[in-house]
Amino acid sequence: AVSPIARDILETASATGGGPGGPPGGKHVDDPHFLQPMEGVDGTGYRSSWWTQFYCILWRSWLSVLKDPMLVKVRLLQTAMVASLIGSIYFGQVLDQDGVMNINGSLFLFLTNMTFQNVFAVINVFSAELPVFLREKRSRLYRVDTYFLGKTIAELPLFIAVPFVFTSITYPMIGLKAGLSHYLTTLFIVTLVANVSTSFGYLISCA
């Protein structure tokens, strides 16, 4: 407030009559100098295209994932341990009355584990980055949709690897229906459940 730069800005503002309720300043200021748009800004108000914004956000988010490899290792190790535990409890089921009931229970654990694990994994993602996001969004560095897509796609490989590890361990241990097509169908469904749960976690994080 007391620096020379601040006094120059105040003098310039007074010269343009910018003071609330005050008279116009006495100095002549070239109005087009203050009204010209910033160079390189298009009609939407952003300096770069949608794809450029998306690429930069995706690359930055991917680097942040790579900078924390311990988190990825812990997630995969946790998934492997839980899958081994469930596989041990329901190990080697046969298709009788009790076996069908046990398989139903194991499939229920498939869904609940993939649901809650992935919801709580991302529930703090956006709230943790909210100050940075708001500052950069107000600076019109990128759109909301490019930030959301770049952030989520950068973390997508992990949310595909976790269902793969979980299903690959539990499926043969429980003794579910043999055959590659049946395994791939189960893996596809579990992956969909995991990513829908992740999206729900993003919803809670945004809220």
Side-chain angles (χ1 to χ4, degrees):
V2 297
S3 66
I5 296 178
R7 287 196 297 269
D8 291 341
I9 293 175
L10 182 60
E11 183 181 354
T12 304
S14 300
T16 59
K27 290 187 176 181
H28 173 72
V29 179
D30 189 11
D31 288 340
H33 173 75
F34 292 94
L35 299 177
Q36 285 176 355
M38 296 173 63
E39 293 182 2
V41 178
D42 58 11
T44 62
Y46 297 98
R47 288 181 176 271
S48 56
S49 65
W50 190 95
W51 285 108
T52 303
Q53 297 174 30
F54 172 72
Y55 172 78
C56 293
I57 294 295
L58 178 63
W59 180 247
R60 185 177 73 173
S61 302
W62 178 245
L63 288 180
S64 67
V65 172
L66 295 180
K67 286 180 180 178
D68 197 3
M70 183 57 65
L71 179 62
V72 177
K73 294 177 182 177
V74 168
R75 285 287 309 278
L76 295 177
L77 180 61
Q78 177 190 14
T79 302
M81 292 177 62
V82 173
S84 300
L85 178 62
I86 295 176
S88 300
I89 295 174
Y90 293 98
F91 185 79
Q93 296 298 318
V94 293
L95 288 179
D96 54 15
Q97 186 64 36
D98 291 335
V100 170
M101 296 293 293
N102 291 335
I103 289 174
N104 281 337
S106 67
L107 295 179
F108 174 76
L109 288 179
F110 265 60
L111 300 179
T112 54
N113 183 71
M114 285 294 100
T115 299
F116 292 107
Q117 178 182 356
N118 289 285
V119 166
F120 290 113
V122 299
I123 204 168
N124 290 320
V125 167
F126 292 120
S127 57
E129 295 188 0
L130 186 61
V132 175
F133 167 74
L134 289 178
R135 183 174 68 248
E136 295 178 343
K137 176 66 175 65
R138 287 164 182 165
S139 299
R140 302 191 72 78
L141 295 180
Y142 48 74
R143 298 168 173 82
V144 177
D145 54 347
T146 54
Y147 171 78
F148 181 81
L149 290 174
K151 183 71 178 175
T152 53
I153 292 176
E155 298 178 349
L156 186 62
L158 180 60
F159 296 117
I160 294 177
V162 167
F164 175 77
V165 171
F166 183 83
T167 307
S168 299
I169 294 175
T170 52
Y171 197 94
M173 290 185 68
I174 296 173
L176 299 177
K177 192 170 184 179
L180 180 62
S181 61
H182 302 298
Y183 164 76
L184 293 178
T185 301
T186 305
L187 178 61
F188 178 70
I189 294 174
V190 172
T191 303
L192 284 181
V193 170
N195 284 274
V196 169
S197 303
T198 302
S199 299
F200 185 69
Y202 286 140
L203 172 64
I204 298 175
S205 182
C206 290

